[in-house]
Amino acid sequence: MHKRRTDSVSQAVPSEELMLAVEQLVRYVRRSTNAGGLSTAASSALGRLGSEGPQRLTELARAENVSQPNMTQLVTRMERAGLVRRTADQSDGRGVLVAATDTGLQVFRQRRAERADALRQLVEQLSEPEQEAVRIALPALSRAVQDRAVRERGVRS
């Protein structure tokens, strides 16, 4: 049986427990999404294109941490499904950009809404102080991730 910690100030939650909680949350939210019937990889790539806009295939593969051949196959399947399209890169005639189509953007928005609703339902089950903690902690963690990404890009440049 799990014991609820009441003395959160004096007892730090071990990183492993936090990681387990994050993994459980991510799995739950992913399972709550039905729109488009996408694989996790397709959902992630479409989400990136929906959030960040068109990208070169090589950039998308790198950002998604997959090989370029695997991303090419994924983009081809998504293109056949009408979720993305390839267009010429105006800044480099040899390059190709991958962009979400209107249908892809609609699926992206629907999936995000489904996930947001799943998270809202979970948060509503918490006590008021726990809800407040989530409203503070999740944006703070998001900022930390974004700050780290900016620093890492600066190091690579």
Side-chain angles (χ1 to χ4, degrees):
M1 197 73 164
H2 293 291
K3 228 194 242 184
R4 179 175 249 159
R5 295 201 174 158
T6 56
D7 188 4
S8 61
V9 175
S10 65
Q11 292 185 348
V13 178
S15 295
E16 193 169 316
E17 281 186 46
L18 290 175
M19 192 63 240
L20 179 60
V22 168
E23 288 171 349
Q24 289 173 334
L25 176 62
V26 168
R27 276 194 301 274
Y28 173 81
V29 170
R30 279 185 178 159
R31 281 194 313 263
S32 69
T33 306
N34 298 313
L38 301 178
S39 68
T40 300
S43 176
S44 182
L46 185 60
R48 185 173 302 280
L49 294 170
S51 297
E52 299 174 11
Q55 295 186 20
R56 292 185 70 142
L57 195 80
T58 54
E59 293 169 353
L60 187 56
R62 188 177 311 115
E64 291 295 313
N65 201 28
V66 299
S67 69
Q68 188 169 343
N70 282 348
M71 184 55 70
T72 299
Q73 290 176 352
L74 179 62
V75 166
T76 297
R77 287 193 304 271
M78 292 171 64
E79 193 172 30
R80 285 186 193 133
L83 301 173
V84 300
R85 69 177 171 281
R86 299 176 208 226
T87 59
D89 185 346
Q90 300 302 321
S91 65
D92 179 358
R94 300 168 297 159
V96 173
L97 292 175
V98 179
T101 62
D102 289 342
T103 300
L105 291 173
Q106 183 178 358
V107 169
F108 163 71
R109 285 189 290 270
Q110 180 62 37
R111 291 179 71 83
R112 178 158 284 173
E114 288 174 357
R115 289 175 174 178
D117 188 52
L119 181 59
R120 179 191 54 75
Q121 289 176 32
L122 281 178
V123 172
E124 285 176 350
Q125 294 176 12
L126 302 175
S127 69
E128 195 57 45
E130 289 170 327
Q131 288 181 29
E132 184 63 20
V134 168
R135 282 191 288 271
I136 292 169
L138 290 183
L141 286 170
S142 178
R143 280 191 308 276
V145 168
Q146 292 169 358
D147 291 348
R148 177 163 287 205
V150 167
R151 283 194 310 274
E152 288 174 357
R153 277 194 301 266
V155 168
R156 284 188 219 136
S157 298

